Amino acid sequence: MTRTRKIAIGIVGALALLVLVLVVFIATFDWNRAKPMINERASAAIGRPFAINGDLSVKWQREPAEGGWRAWLPWPHFIANDISVGNAPWAKAPTFATLKRGEFSLAPLPLLRQRVVIRRIQLTEPAADLQRLADGRANWEFTLPESGEPSPWVLDINEIGFDKGRVAYVDEMLQADLTVLVDPLGKPVPFADVAGAAFAPQDGQSPAPRDYVFGWSVEGKYKGLPTKGEGKVGGMLALQDPKQPFPVQADVAVGGTKASVAGTVTDPAHLGALDLRLKLAGSSMAQLYPLTGVTLPDTPPYSTDGHLVAKLQNPGGAVFDYKDFNGKVGNSDLHGDISFALGAPRPKLTGKLSSKQLRMVDLGPLIGVPATGTAAAPADKAKDAPVKPKGGKVLPTQAFRTDRWRDMDADVALDAGRIIHDSKLPLSDLSVHVVLQDGKLTLDPFRFGMAGGNINGTINLDGTNEAMTGRVDLHARRLRLKQLFPSAEAMQKTLGELNGDLAVSGTGNSVAALLGTSTGDVKMLVNDGVISRSLMEIAGLNVGNYIVSKLFGDDEVKINCGAADLAMKNGVMTPRVFVFDTENALITITGTADFKDEKIDMDVTPDSKGFRIFSLRSPLYVRGTFGNPDVGVHVGPLAARGAGMVALGVLLTPAAGLLALIAPSTNDENACGPLLEQMRKPPTAPAPKGK
């Protein structure tokens, strides 16, 4: 044997002996002696006091799951008791976290690269006090005290197993003060028994969700609202495998909102994705705004059940898809798919909704009318009845929350088969496309069927400024009079129709304010109808009831044509033309209606035809407020017969404008045509006396 070989054998033997001695030393070493050093190094690494207050022991074990030569490398298996981590200097709780017992195996080689690799860690009775201040400082963010920079050490944990524990969470930014308690269920509950088989993977390749092992409860406040809930979670939290779904289930009440979820969280370490069955219920959708940031109107009580799929780590921002949901708002049903994307410059809500039946009482909040009644209220029908206005005010004054319009964008389409305004006048075929962009709300198209005809148009509301501006363009075509008044027996004999146009714009944050500043035009034609006192009673028009009774008594009178061309300026409506041509008389209406002060000042002047003599010898007047009008008879005598037609003769332009509303009638000839043509002709000058 050569000398070189003897030296090599000696070196190898010495190294083997050194390793053997090292292994024997580590195996027999009392690791409690190392606790001061470990505590010191760990405290320096995280920038907080760290202490192992109980017994510390280490066992060396191989990790066969590593594979290859690494499977032969022994890993230290640490068992530490009574561990505590100090809190940030500004935090309220004395410690950030405590742990009765912790067990984990540590990969030795990655430590050379400042990486702490732990395949699995088991925590017994963990407790943590999490806190975040209004300025954004959070006690779960660890920094080095010397430089203020994040720690260079990287913690890499594959799975976490845990026993019963407690987490306190105080967040001034979210107005949260919550306490969460976790306890073992005693017996695992299969995932499908809670979430349903529909959420289990069907392809045979994706990993199946684990069983529910722990129960949890939460109590406190969130967003300043009382919060209470309970649920279940799995027993082993997979942090590295993004495909391993972690089972969750929860029933939580926050203020007046109740939520129930069951499903999975994927990649929980980074909140990668959600796949949940979600049920929501509450007294108003507007209560979701502080919880979600989604701008929704005040509504009657609602409930919804659907499938929520969320991609929380989407590059452009988290995306939430609520699929195939079924819901109710008041007594209206709602179905479809919606998506909510958190992106720049604002989040956006998109969706396509459908409904079999919508009630106007449930949709009232969309136009500023407060919601009344509930779906469960026994006196629901009574609550649907009109409420007598106080102080003579009748226009809706509830303010639109335009400040919230600037918090998000929206693009939602809704189709409804039937709309219920009341039991006598059902509407149908609603189709509306709602777009909210940069604080501007547009309904285009906005159309629905009514009384055998249709109403369509566009609505534009601009909420970018403190005072909202709005424009409404609506067109009513071929509304059949007998369907508008299905309870009026006389109307069932007529084939007349109503056609009209409305184009007004105004400024204000409620319907009342918008109308009080509106400028525009309202045009309407009614042909081949019937008018009577009983019809006014059915329509609920007390003023009309009085006027008709004064003009015609209790008789039914045929209306050849009713024509109105009304000008709106700064909230004041003034008729250019407002005339009813009946078989007995030509009735003209003049004056003003002030929508700002809700006051009316109009005169109703009849002009008798032929030799029929009216019992009424003076014009009528309508004064006072919209809610409490005063109706009576002028003291002065009636104007001379024919004066009304002479006055109408000079209104050439309004009459010409109304001609566009004449649609093909169900009769051979529309009765409004001759009247408007006559109104367009210049008046005939009276013949000189003596000729």
Side-chain angles (χ1 to χ4, degrees):
M1 182 180 296
T2 64
R3 183 179 178 182
T4 302
R5 188 170 183 179
K6 290 180 180 181
I7 294 174
I9 292 174
I11 293 174
V12 171
L15 291 175
L17 180 61
L18 180 61
V19 171
L20 179 61
V21 171
L22 182 61
V23 170
V24 172
F25 172 78
I26 293 175
T28 59
F29 180 71
D30 183 5
W31 284 92
N32 287 306
R33 296 180 180 180
K35 286 196 302 183
M37 180 190 67
I38 295 175
N39 291 343
E40 181 181 355
R41 295 293 179 88
S43 299
I46 65 175
R48 301 268 186 88
F50 174 90
I52 301 175
N53 303 303
D55 185 62
L56 173 64
S57 61
V58 179
K59 296 179 180 179
W60 290 82
Q61 299 175 346
R62 291 188 298 115
E63 296 287 336
E66 289 297 304
W69 62 270
R70 293 184 178 85
W72 295 93
L73 182 67
W75 287 28
H77 181 72
F78 291 86
I79 302 174
N81 294 278
D82 191 9
I83 303 172
S84 64
V85 179
N87 220 334
W90 46 263
K92 293 182 179 180
T95 58
F96 167 71
T98 60
L99 184 65
K100 183 177 181 180
R101 180 183 176 92
E103 300 180 46
F104 62 92
S105 295
L106 183 64
L109 294 181
L111 293 174
L112 301 175
R113 305 191 305 273
Q114 293 185 310
R115 291 180 62 86
V116 179
V117 178
I118 299 174
R119 290 290 178 258
R120 179 178 298 181
I121 184 170
Q122 182 66 38
L123 308 177
T124 303
E125 296 188 20
D129 288 271
L130 309 179
Q131 184 179 357
R132 182 166 63 172
L133 300 181
D135 58 12
R137 286 181 293 169
N139 69 342
W140 58 82
E141 295 176 351
F142 293 84
T143 57
L144 292 173
E146 302 86 19
S147 62
E149 295 296 326
S151 172
W153 286 83
V154 178
L155 181 62
D156 187 353
I157 301 176
N158 286 17
E159 292 184 339
I160 295 180
F162 49 89
D163 200 344
K164 65 178 182 179
R166 176 193 64 84
V167 177
Y169 179 61
V170 178
D171 193 328
E172 295 180 6
M173 297 179 68
L174 296 177
Q175 303 177 55
D177 187 352
L178 303 169
T179 300
V180 181
L181 300 178
V182 181
D183 279 303
L185 291 173
K187 181 181 179 181
V189 178
F191 174 79
D193 290 356
V194 176
F199 283 84
Q202 305 295 327
D203 54 13
Q205 298 179 355
S206 302
R210 293 168 174 169
D211 293 340
Y212 294 96
V213 177
F214 290 94
W216 60 269
S217 63
V218 62
E219 191 167 1
K221 289 187 175 181
Y222 181 74
K223 294 291 186 178
L225 301 172
T227 301
K228 191 172 184 178
E230 61 183 11
K232 304 177 185 68
V233 292
M236 187 68 70
L237 185 63
L239 301 180
Q240 292 299 314
D241 185 0
K243 296 182 180 180
Q244 177 62 53
F246 183 72
V248 296
Q249 182 269 327
D251 292 294
V252 181
V254 183
T257 302
K258 295 182 179 180
S260 176
V261 300
T264 62
V265 179
T266 303
D267 193 11
H270 305 94
L271 285 179
L274 303 175
D275 189 358
L276 306 168
R277 179 182 178 182
L278 171 63
K279 297 181 180 179
L280 276 177
S283 55
S284 173
M285 286 188 179
Q287 294 180 355
L288 291 172
Y289 177 76
L291 303 178
T292 64
V294 180
T295 303
L296 296 170
D298 289 303
T299 67
Y302 71 93
S303 63
T304 179
D305 182 358
H307 185 185
L308 176 65
V309 177
K311 298 177 182 178
L312 303 177
Q313 297 299 323
N314 195 57
V319 178
F320 299 83
D321 293 314
Y322 197 31
K323 302 178 178 180
D324 299 323
F325 75 86
N326 297 297
K328 290 191 69 176
V329 180
N331 284 333
S332 303
D333 66 282
L334 207 58
H335 319 273
D337 303 290
I338 58 175
S339 178
F340 184 65
L342 291 171
R346 287 170 302 278
K348 185 172 184 178
L349 178 72
T350 58
K352 188 173 183 179
L353 310 176
S354 64
S355 175
K356 296 179 181 178
Q357 174 178 290
L358 291 178
R359 294 195 320 157
M360 290 301 294
V361 68
D362 300 327
L363 299 179
L366 295 175
I367 57 172
V369 179
T372 58
T374 65
D380 184 59
K381 292 183 179 180
K383 291 184 178 182
D384 285 350
V387 179
K388 186 175 180 179
K390 297 181 180 180
K393 298 290 185 178
V394 297
L395 299 178
T397 58
Q398 183 175 354
F400 293 95
R401 297 184 177 181
T402 56
D403 55 323
R404 297 183 177 182
W405 294 6
R406 299 183 287 274
D407 292 342
M408 62 170 282
D409 295 334
D411 189 336
V412 179
L414 169 64
D415 293 305
R418 187 167 182 255
I419 310 169
I420 298 179
H421 179 263
D422 56 38
S423 59
K424 301 175 182 178
L425 185 61
L427 311 178
S428 63
D429 302 324
L430 171 68
S431 180
V432 58
H433 183 198
V434 181
V435 176
L436 179 61
Q437 183 73 37
D438 298 332
K440 299 178 181 179
L441 180 65
T442 301
L443 279 66
D444 185 13
F446 175 66
R447 58 175 177 264
F448 57 90
M450 178 178 178
N454 64 82
I455 295 179
N456 66 85
T458 61
I459 299 176
N460 295 277
L461 303 175
D462 187 345
T464 56
N465 299 317
E466 183 177 352
M468 182 182 71
T469 60
R471 178 174 177 82
V472 178
D473 291 273
L474 294 178
H475 311 281
R477 292 295 182 268
R478 308 200 66 168
L479 307 188
R480 299 179 182 178
L481 298 180
K482 65 179 180 180
Q483 293 185 31
L484 278 174
F485 303 96
S487 300
E489 182 178 353
M491 276 296 179
Q492 305 310 305
K493 306 173 185 178
T494 179
L495 299 176
E497 296 177 346
L498 182 151
N499 295 279
D501 289 333
L502 180 148
V504 295
S505 58
T507 302
N509 291 331
S510 68
V511 172
L514 283 171
L515 290 175
T517 59
S518 289
T519 296
D521 299 285
V522 180
K523 299 178 181 181
M524 181 179 66
L525 283 183
V526 179
N527 68 281
D528 301 323
V530 174
I531 191 170
S532 67
R533 181 176 178 179
S534 61
L535 178 61
M536 294 297 100
E537 292 176 350
I538 292 173
L541 301 176
N542 295 329
V543 173
N545 186 3
Y546 179 89
I547 294 174
V548 170
S549 64
K550 286 293 183 181
L551 293 178
F552 309 113
D554 294 330
D555 296 337
E556 294 178 356
V557 179
K558 181 181 177 182
I559 299 176
N560 299 320
C561 177
D565 187 344
L566 313 174
M568 289 280 290
K569 187 173 182 180
N570 297 326
V572 178
M573 177 180 285
T574 304
R576 299 189 186 99
V577 172
F578 202 164
V579 58
F580 287 92
D581 180 24
T582 74
E583 59 183 344
N584 299 324
L586 185 69
I587 302 167
T588 60
I589 300 175
T590 57
T592 60
D594 189 337
F595 284 81
K596 181 178 181 180
D597 298 324
E598 295 197 25
K599 292 183 178 180
I600 189 169
D601 184 1
M602 287 190 169
D603 294 326
V604 180
T605 305
D607 179 28
S608 179
K609 290 184 176 180
F611 294 99
R612 176 180 172 88
I613 300 177
F614 276 87
S615 59
L616 177 67
R617 306 302 301 172
S618 297
L620 302 174
Y621 66 81
V622 182
R623 306 282 187 271
T625 65
F626 291 179
N628 295 302
D630 177 29
V631 187
V633 181
H634 277 296
V635 178
L638 281 170
R641 180 181 178 275
M645 291 302 296
V646 173
L648 289 175
V650 301
L651 302 175
L652 306 181
T653 303
L658 287 170
L659 284 171
L661 294 179
I662 296 181
S665 175
T666 51
N667 288 336
D668 294 336
E669 182 179 358
N670 190 305
C672 283
L675 174 66
L676 296 179
E677 288 293 344
Q678 185 177 358
M679 289 164 58
R680 295 181 65 192
K681 297 177 182 178
T684 303
K689 293 183 179 182
K691 291 189 180 182

